[in-house]
Each structure stands twice: as structure tokens, then as C-alpha cells.
């Protein structure tokens, strides 16, 4: 069972990521809710409350709140807020299959950050797989006529932020010994005032006060669902990037995006499939699958003889 734990964690992360993507897309597209900082604030409140209650009942454990630990986790929290915020904006401006195709290029940035921060080098066959991912994303972007060009910029920015965040989280966990719940709690405490300030600077409270669906029961349930599942996803990312690695988290994201793309084509009303778009997304996902296979074989070959 212990050997299956890393795989089960990856499945857990992938499943939650798919679900949360469609929940947030439903809020931004179905209800035209354009206040990402407010959504993130709700998610952070849930994460801090959940961790505090579970710790009080001794279900989980992590170091008590301290200024020293807040300082150590501050940089990761900044990266988290930036990552989630630009991701919300990007998802709102592009359709789901296009969002996924562009998100495939996050692997490039993960490898770059791992090289500069962790000293890891890249093999030639890995470069080939990444080349397919990038080629597919370019093909899909060139043929997509339903998304905002600004959305492409935010998705690429999201990729850079994700790579930096995953690598920094992995490094922080090793340096401090914080478990996934500790990272979740301290990240929430640090990020709450940042997110509140961001929301005020963007004048979101004014827009929310006049939002037509503010008291709609279905909308309220969807926002609560987004906040709770966002916490679970955040925990899953911490768990996957600490128990496994930032690269394993990125690979899992590549595999789950195959299912997300299929669902996006089937249920999204803002997708206008063209041959080039479908070919581009297929090429990108093929590169992601090949990349995942290479990393799996690399891990298997690294095991002691007779253990694999």
C-alpha cells in the first residue's frame, strides 16, 4: 500500500483539479462573476478555518502560529496568490480546451525552475516531448477564434507562476519540515490580507454589492462549493508536490487534462471546434502523454534492481 501512495495522491490531485476547473468556469461564464480575488478570499477563509478546527480536535497537527514561520512561508504565499489570481482571469477569458492546451507549456517553466533552483538537467527525449506540447499549443492558439488574446497572456503568466510556486513549495517543505496541512494553514494566514488588499485595489466590493445573482441560492451554493473544493485542491497540490515532486505534479496535470479537454468539447458552449484546433490540442496532449511516459520510465529505472 505504501508503494501505491504516491500514485493515489496523483489521482486525488488530478480528480480534484478537473472538478475545480469546471466549477470555477461555471461561476465565471455561467454567472458572469468577474471578481477572482473575492473567490480566492473565500477559499482562503475556508482553508484557515478547516485547518484550525481539525487541529483543535487533534485530527491533524502542525506547528502553532508563529511570526518566524509566517516569514519563512511568506514568499510561497505571494506566489500562490499571484498564481491563483492570474489563473482565474485566464480561465475566464479563454475556453476550457484552449486553456488546457496553453497550460501544457507549464512543464517548460517547471523544468527551468528545477534546473536553476534544484540543479536538475533535462534529457534530449524530454525536450522532444516538450516540443510536441509547445507545437500543439501554438497550433491550437492560432486556430482559436473564440478566446480573448489577453487571455493567452494571463494563461502563460499562470504557467510561470505555477512553476515557481510548485518548486518553491517543494523547497520550503524540505527546509522547514512543514507537512501539507501546515503549508495550507500558513499559506492561508499569509495570503488572506494580500487577497483582501488586492480585492479592494481592484474595486471588487463595489461590483459585488450590485451583482445581480448575489443572493441567488444556486450561485451561493456554487461559490461555497468552489471555496471548499478549492481548499481540497490546494491541499492536494501541497501533498503531491511534497510527497512526490513538482515534476510529478506537473505530469499528473498533463494526464488529467486529456479528460478535461474531452469534457470541455462536450459540454462547453464557448468552444467552436476546427480541424486545426482539434489537431493542436491532440498534438499537445500527445506530447504530454509521451512526457509522462518518459518520466515514469525514468523513475522505474532509478529503482534498485528487483524492486520494480
Amino acid at each position: 500500500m505504501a508503494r501505491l501512495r504516491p500514485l493515489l495522491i496523483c489521482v486525488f490531485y488530478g480528480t480534484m483539479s478537473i472538478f475545480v476547473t469546471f466549477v470555477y468556469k461555471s461561476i465565471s461564464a455561467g454567472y458572469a462573476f468577474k471578481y477572482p480575488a473575492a473567490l480566492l478570499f473565500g477559499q482562503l477563509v475556508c482553508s484557515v478555518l478547516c485547518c484550525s478546527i481539525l487541529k483543535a480536535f487533534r485530527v491533524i497537527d502542525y506547528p502553532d502560529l508563529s511570526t518566524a514561520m509566517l516569514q519563512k512561508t511568506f514568499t510561497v504565499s505571494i506566489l500562490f496568490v499571484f498564481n491563483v489570481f492570474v489563473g482565474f482571469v485566464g480561465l475566464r477569458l479563454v475556453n476550457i480546451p484552449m486553456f488546457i492546451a496553453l497550460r501544457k507549456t507549464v512543464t517548460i517553466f517547471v523544468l527551468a525552475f528545477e534546473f536553476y533552483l534544484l540543479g536538475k538537467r533535462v534529457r534530449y527525449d524530454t525536450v522532444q516531448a516538450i516540443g510536441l506540447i509547445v507545437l500543439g499549443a501554438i497550433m491550437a492558439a492560432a486556430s482559436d477564434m473564440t478566446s480573448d488574446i489577453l487571455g493567452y497572456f494571463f494563461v502563460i503568466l499562470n504557467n510561470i507562476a505555477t512553476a515557481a510556486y510548485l518548486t518553491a513549495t517543494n523547497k520550503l517543505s524540505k527546509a522547514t519540515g512543514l507537512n501539507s496541512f501546515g503549508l495550507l494553514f500558513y499559506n492561508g494566514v499569509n495570503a488572506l490580507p494580500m487577497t483582501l488588499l488586492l480585492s479592494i485595489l481592484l474595486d471588487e466590493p463595489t461590483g459585488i454589492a450590485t451583482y445581480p445573482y448575489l443572493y441567488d441560492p444556486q450561485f451561493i451554493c456554487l461559490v461555497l462549493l468552489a471555496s471548499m473544493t478549492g481548499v481540497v485542491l490546494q491541499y492536494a497540490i501541497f501533498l503531491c508536490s511534497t510527497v512526490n515532486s513538482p515534476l510529478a505534479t506537473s505530469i499528473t496535470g498533463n494526464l488529467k487534462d486529456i479528460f478535461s479537454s474531452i469534457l470541455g468539447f462536450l459540454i462547453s458552449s464557448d468552444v467552436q471546434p476546427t480541424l486545426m484546433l482539434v489537431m493542436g490540442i491532440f498534438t499537445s496532449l500527445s506530447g504530454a502523454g509521451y512526457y509522462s511516459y518518459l518520466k515514469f520510465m525514468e523513475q522505474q529505472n532509478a529503482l534498485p534492481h528487483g524492486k520494480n
Side-chain angles (χ1 to χ4, degrees):
M1 187 65 184
R3 291 191 63 185
L4 285 176
R5 185 169 180 254
L7 176 62
L8 293 175
I9 289 172
C10 285
V11 172
F12 172 52
Y13 159 61
T15 303
M16 288 308 305
S17 184
I18 292 172
F19 185 71
V20 169
T21 296
F22 281 91
V23 170
Y24 278 105
K25 186 64 176 178
S26 298
I27 293 174
S28 63
Y31 285 90
F33 191 77
K34 302 177 181 179
Y35 311 106
L39 285 176
L40 177 55
F41 186 82
Q43 177 184 320
L44 292 169
V45 169
C46 283
S47 67
V48 172
L49 286 177
C50 287
C51 287
S52 299
I53 292 171
L54 291 173
K55 181 177 170 64
F57 284 95
R58 299 183 179 179
V59 177
I60 62 174
D61 189 40
Y62 52 83
D64 292 333
L65 186 64
S66 69
T67 304
M69 192 60 74
L70 285 172
Q71 290 174 343
K72 290 178 181 178
T73 56
F74 189 74
T75 301
V76 168
S77 299
I78 293 175
L79 290 172
F80 168 78
V81 172
F82 182 68
N83 179 43
V84 176
F85 178 77
V86 296
F88 283 164
V89 176
L91 182 60
R92 181 168 63 85
L93 295 175
V94 303
N95 61 61
I96 287 179
M98 191 64 247
F99 178 79
I100 290 168
L102 291 173
R103 284 287 284 164
K104 294 298 94 227
T105 61
V106 71
T107 305
I108 301 173
F109 301 104
V110 170
L111 290 173
F113 277 102
E114 286 196 342
F115 174 75
Y116 285 109
L117 296 179
L118 305 179
K120 294 185 178 181
R121 295 188 176 275
V122 185
R123 289 167 34 178
Y124 179 68
D125 50 6
T126 301
V127 175
Q128 290 179 314
I130 293 173
L132 282 175
I133 294 171
V134 175
L135 175 63
I138 292 172
M139 290 170 61
S143 64
D144 180 48
M145 303 304 293
T146 65
S147 299
D148 192 322
I149 296 296
L150 185 62
Y152 297 164
F153 169 76
F154 274 100
V155 177
I156 296 300
L157 204 57
N158 187 202
N159 290 346
I160 298 171
T162 298
Y165 173 63
L166 292 177
T167 308
T169 298
N170 183 263
K171 194 172 182 179
L172 175 69
S173 177
K174 292 177 180 177
T176 62
L178 275 178
N179 60 23
S180 299
F181 288 107
L183 288 168
L184 188 65
F185 173 76
Y186 276 99
N187 186 67
V189 174
N190 271 328
L192 269 172
M194 300 181 202
T195 308
L196 180 60
L197 178 61
L198 180 62
S199 181
I200 293 172
L201 290 175
L202 294 173
D203 199 28
E204 287 189 350
T206 302
I208 293 172
T210 57
Y211 181 66
Y213 298 105
L214 185 60
Y215 300 106
D216 181 88
Q218 290 185 342
F219 173 74
I220 293 172
C221 288
L222 200 58
V223 170
L224 290 174
L225 180 63
S227 297
M228 290 184 288
T229 54
V231 172
V232 178
L233 175 60
Q234 193 182 343
Y235 169 70
I237 293 172
F238 281 140
L239 195 62
C240 195
S241 61
T242 53
V243 172
N244 296 309
S245 69
L247 207 49
T249 309
S250 179
I251 291 169
T252 303
N254 286 333
L255 295 177
K256 62 91 180 172
D257 285 342
I258 296 174
F259 301 101
S260 298
S261 293
I262 294 171
L263 287 173
F265 276 118
L266 292 176
I267 68 177
S268 293
S269 58
D270 59 347
V271 182
Q272 296 178 8
T274 64
L275 180 60
M276 183 66 76
L277 177 62
V278 174
M279 286 178 61
I281 291 174
F282 177 77
T283 300
S284 182
L285 292 176
S286 296
Y290 179 43
Y291 175 77
S292 300
Y293 167 76
L294 291 174
K295 302 315 291 182
F296 174 76
M297 293 305 297
E298 183 179 307
Q299 184 183 49
Q300 290 298 102
N301 292 333
L303 292 174
H305 184 66
K307 296 287 185 182
N308 57 352

